Amino acid sequence: MLETTETEAYRPRVLAVDVESGGMERLCSILSPAGYDVLPASGTALAAAAMKQAADLVLLDVERPGTDGLATYRRLQDALGESSLPVLMLTPSADRETRREVLDAGVDDLLITEPLDPLELKVRVHTLLELKAHRERGGQRTEALQDPRTRWVEMERLARVGTLAADVAENLGRVGEGLQRALEHVRTQALQGLPPDADALKKLGVAGEQMRLHGQHLLSLGPTNPKDIQRFDLRELVPAVVERMRAAGRLGTAEMTVLLPNEPIAVVFNRRQLEQVLTELLANAVDAVEDVMDRPRRIITGVELPDIFGDFGPLLFVEDTGIGIFEDEQQAVFEPYYTTKAPEKGAGLGLTVARTLVEAMGGTLTVRSRVNQGSTFTVELPEQTSSW
């Protein structure tokens, strides 16, 4: 929640514009218990209502019969001038063209409401209010974000991060429920002077590992600490991560090879998050080669120089001789909770988090794979002009 110096906790005011009565009840049932005051308003009186009620955020319903949401948004902007009031558009559906239209109009975010995910709504509202508070404390948007293309990429990234955070939080709740049931069984057995079942103990161990993994992934998606943004030689990152994983016993029996260019590659990124990306890709490769019996279990990782013509930036890659991925499943591996691993070996979020972090840096994460031959995951980072 936003900070306040008042003795009574401040409840941010969310103005719901042109939302029908049923939708209004739904919004109130989701946001009010989370600490927000939801206030109705019509498009014609929006600006006056926003100023009178000191609104902190606007929820603007688009594609409601008889209402042009974008026209309402433009009237609001005209009335409020340079106000930092964030706007979250609600719409039943939206293709890429609609999203572009919304972005070009200057809207801060857009949320699909059919179906409406309560957790995602709260995540989006909280994120926009945090950004508003940051701006009011003196932080400013960079000039780059005024470019519609850049803002489009940023909005897509925020949407993906918000959805992923909602998925993680929801699944974490289910893991917690399973942990409570297992603990209750152990407690009951102890009161009767009986040892716990081996199956219950295993479930406790699995739940504990799942909680650890979920916490790790949520932390990796959190806000960037300015201290984590570093200028470094990309070549140094790969062997550092490999040695750290080897020391922790996380490379198994795989034969590991590191390939690096002779020339330094100076980059400025969140080093901690980039290390997390490589760790997830290497862990995935280790699992892929674990059951291979008919060929060497090899993993090759390294860095490639950016293209001299500027067609692509520096590359990180992880190649394995593992089981491979069927062609029609190669995009599904990046979806949350898509996994073929046993529960105690992973949460099904590693590749999802890796792609989310890479895209947050302005890069791409892709995969090429052939069944029973292996896979290659490639991180293409944006081109940078930094030099030593």
Side-chain angles (χ1 to χ4, degrees):
M1 288 300 104
L2 300 176
E3 296 179 356
T4 176
T5 57
E6 297 174 1
T7 56
E8 183 179 351
Y10 177 70
R11 292 176 63 88
R13 295 180 177 88
V14 177
L15 209 60
V17 180
D18 290 337
V19 179
E20 295 177 340
S21 58
M24 189 67 190
E25 292 176 3
R26 176 78 165 138
L27 290 177
C28 289
S29 69
I30 296 171
L31 295 177
S32 292
Y36 304 101
D37 287 336
V38 184
L39 310 169
S42 66
T44 55
L46 175 57
M51 289 183 284
K52 181 179 179 180
Q53 303 187 60
D56 296 290
L57 179 143
V58 171
L59 297 181
L60 191 56
D61 196 13
V62 179
E63 293 183 11
R64 177 176 180 267
T67 299
D68 182 346
L70 286 176
T72 303
Y73 171 76
R74 293 185 183 104
R75 287 196 299 271
L76 171 66
Q77 294 304 99
D78 290 341
L80 297 182
E82 297 299 321
S83 171
S84 62
L85 192 67
V87 177
L88 172 59
M89 270 199 173
L90 309 177
T91 184
S93 63
D95 55 19
R96 289 182 65 86
E97 189 59 36
T98 301
R99 286 177 178 270
R100 286 187 181 277
E101 184 182 6
V102 167
L103 174 65
D104 289 340
V107 176
D108 294 277
D109 200 359
L110 182 144
L111 178 64
I112 305 302
T113 58
E114 290 187 1
L116 176 60
D117 185 330
L119 193 54
E120 185 170 355
L121 173 62
K122 288 186 283 189
V123 167
R124 301 287 188 93
V125 168
H126 176 77
T127 299
L128 288 176
L129 288 174
E130 287 291 305
L131 289 172
K132 176 176 180 285
H134 171 70
R135 289 198 294 267
E136 290 175 346
R137 287 193 298 265
Q140 299 295 325
R141 290 186 177 185
T142 64
E143 289 299 318
L145 286 183
Q146 304 306 318
D147 174 39
R149 291 169 299 177
T150 306
R151 292 191 66 245
W152 162 247
V153 171
E154 180 69 6
M155 190 172 78
E156 289 286 279
R157 184 190 71 80
L158 285 173
R160 186 173 287 110
V161 170
T163 300
L164 177 57
D167 286 342
V168 171
E170 183 177 358
N171 202 61
L172 192 57
R174 289 195 290 266
V175 172
E177 291 172 1
L179 182 62
Q180 285 296 110
R181 288 194 295 270
L183 283 171
E184 186 60 33
H185 167 78
V186 171
R187 188 180 296 111
T188 301
Q189 293 289 96
L191 290 174
Q192 297 176 1
L194 300 173
D197 294 339
D199 184 57
L201 290 177
K202 180 180 179 181
K203 288 180 179 178
L204 277 174
V206 170
E209 177 63 8
Q210 289 279 311
M211 296 281 274
R212 185 190 70 80
L213 288 170
H214 278 74
Q216 173 183 308
H217 292 317
L218 278 174
L219 284 173
S220 69
L221 294 171
T224 296
N225 187 321
K227 294 181 180 179
D228 292 327
I229 304 297
Q230 302 177 21
R231 185 173 181 270
F232 59 95
D233 185 347
L234 190 59
R235 299 176 306 167
E236 299 173 354
L237 184 139
V238 177
V241 172
V242 169
E243 289 307 311
R244 190 180 308 148
M245 293 183 69
R246 179 178 282 118
R250 297 182 61 187
L251 295 183
T253 59
E255 175 188 331
M256 181 70 64
T257 301
V258 176
L259 301 178
L260 302 172
N262 294 324
E263 299 86 351
I265 306 176
V267 295
V268 180
F269 287 113
N270 184 320
R271 179 164 182 155
R272 175 181 59 84
Q273 290 185 343
L274 203 52
E275 289 176 346
Q276 179 71 21
V277 169
L278 184 57
T279 299
E280 298 294 354
L281 296 180
L282 288 173
N284 181 74
V286 170
D287 289 335
V289 302
E290 184 179 35
D291 295 326
V292 169
M293 300 296 179
D294 60 345
R295 57 188 179 278
R297 301 172 182 174
R298 290 194 181 121
I299 298 174
I300 302 173
T301 183
V303 179
E304 291 184 10
L305 292 165
D307 179 61
I308 60 174
F309 300 106
D311 290 338
F312 57 83
L315 303 178
L316 280 171
F317 64 87
V318 175
E319 178 181 334
D320 66 66
T321 59
I323 56 177
I325 308 166
F326 287 103
E327 185 175 358
D328 59 354
E329 296 180 352
Q330 288 182 19
Q331 291 309 307
V333 298
F334 296 109
E335 295 299 318
Y337 304 111
Y338 180 92
T339 182
T340 57
K341 303 175 188 176
E344 64 271 16
K345 297 193 65 176
L349 285 170
L351 293 178
T352 309
V353 168
R355 173 174 270 190
T356 301
L357 292 176
V358 170
E359 291 180 347
M361 300 175 196
T364 60
L365 173 58
T366 57
V367 60
R368 291 183 294 104
S369 184
R370 296 187 67 179
V371 175
N372 293 325
Q373 292 189 31
S375 305
T376 301
F377 287 83
T378 303
V379 175
E380 180 183 337
L381 296 168
E383 176 66 26
Q384 295 186 344
T385 58
S386 175
S387 64
W388 296 106

